Amino acid sequence: KAGVTQTPRYLIKTRGQQVTLSCSPISGHRSVSWYQQTPGQGLQFLFEYFSETQRNKGNFPGRFSGRQFSNSRSEMNVSTLELGDSALYLCASATGGYNSPLHFGNGTRLTVT
Amino acid sequence: GDSVTQMEGPVTLSEEAFLTINCTYTATGYPSLFWYVQYPGEGLQLLLKATKADDKGSNKGFEATYRKETTSFHLEKGSVQVSDSAVYFCALSAPNAGNNRKLIWGLGTSLGVNP
């Protein structure tokens, strides 16, 4: 079974631009979560989607948004990029139950200059 | 509120040494507990899990026991290898008010194993 696929692996953007990251979950998984990982803040939860509906949201500004499609694929968008948005963005899929483990992709490394 | 406290790193050991990474939690109700591992340049992988008190999760020589009386889920391995060098995350999962997933993460513990 194919794992979670995130594209692109690396991205360099300048301040003020916007970016869209993509995540394809494991087949059959309906839950997709997004995390931001930085050396200083650790792993920070952004949001979770289940069957195209956002059902959990972390404490990030409105510049961070996401969506999920009917095939469970998900995208995350960051508008008006800031230097502090430089991070590894991780996507994880799960079957949906609260105690089902997350399966992570290898992440997208975003650098904002 | 719910929380996970993990021992700070980095931890540096020699090959074949015994490993313990401490993890304690606070939670209402009956959470599930997880250990994830992140190897350099990769995403996190589930290492092991336990869903109720006294359960022992095990995988790849690692073990952790869900101790409700001490609210702990310490990770142990009897003999570490260089290939175990990675960052280890303890996590707690429980239903929130809407019966959706609430996942609380520890800050991660970096482990380096020298040959």
Side-chain angles (χ1 to χ4, degrees), chain A residues 68-87:
Chain A
Q68 187 180 32
F69 302 96
S70 58
N71 61 358
S72 292
R73 191 177 70 84
S74 178
E75 289 182 346
M76 191 193 93
N77 186 76
V78 188
S79 62
T80 320
L81 283 166
E82 301 177 359
L83 295 179
D85 297 333
S86 295

Side-chain angles (χ1 to χ4, degrees), chain A residues 35-46 60 86-90 109, chain B residues 6 38 44 87 89 105-109:
Chain A
Y35 287 84
Q36 182 194 67
Q37 187 177 30
T38 59
Q41 298 295 318
L43 206 57
Q44 301 286 313
F45 171 70
L46 281 153
F60 277 80
S86 295
L88 179 67
Y89 289 88
L90 292 166
R109 172 74 62 186
Chain B
Q6 208 176 319
Q38 185 176 30
L44 283 71
V87 180
F89 293 88
W105 294 88
L107 293 179
T109 302

Side-chain angles (χ1 to χ4, degrees), chain A residues 9 31 35 37 43 48 55-56 88 90 94 97-102 104-106, chain B residues 30 32 34 36 38 41-44 46 49 89 93-96 100-101 103 105:
Chain A
R9 281 301 307 271
S31 165
Y35 287 84
Q37 187 177 30
L43 206 57
E48 179 188 10
R55 68 176 185 180
N56 267 323
L88 179 67
L90 292 166
Y98 79 87
N99 62 355
S100 60
L102 299 183
F104 284 83
N106 284 334
Chain B
Y30 304 95
S32 294
F34 301 85
Y36 285 83
Q38 185 176 30
E42 298 182 11
L44 283 71
L46 176 68
K49 71 171 187 176
F89 293 88
S93 182
N96 63 14
N100 295 319
R101 182 200 313 272
L103 195 53
W105 294 88

Side-chain angles (χ1 to χ4, degrees), chain B residues 8-79:
Chain B
E8 290 187 26
V11 174
T12 303
L13 297 173
S14 297
E15 207 165 22
E16 299 184 4
F18 185 86
L19 169 71
T20 300
I21 301 178
N22 290 337
C23 173
T24 57
Y25 68 92
T26 58
T28 54
Y30 304 95
S32 294
L33 301 173
F34 301 85
W35 277 101
Y36 285 83
V37 59
Q38 185 176 30
Y39 298 103
E42 298 182 11
L44 283 71
Q45 302 174 23
L46 176 68
L47 184 57
L48 52 85
K49 71 171 187 176
T51 57
K52 61 183 187 299
D54 299 325
D55 267 2
K56 178 187 281 188
S58 61
N59 186 25
K60 299 181 181 180
F62 291 89
E63 291 183 342
T65 301
Y66 188 159
R67 302 278 189 208
K68 194 162 177 63
E69 64 276 14
T70 54
T71 61
S72 64
F73 193 55
H74 304 321
L75 183 67
E76 297 182 334
K77 187 176 185 183
S79 177

Side-chain angles (χ1 to χ4, degrees), chain A residues 47-66:
Chain A
F47 26 68
E48 179 188 10
Y49 287 87
F50 183 83
S51 293
E52 302 179 67
T53 301
Q54 187 183 88
R55 68 176 185 180
N56 267 323
K57 189 176 189 304
N59 295 323
F60 277 80
R63 301 185 297 108
F64 292 81
S65 63

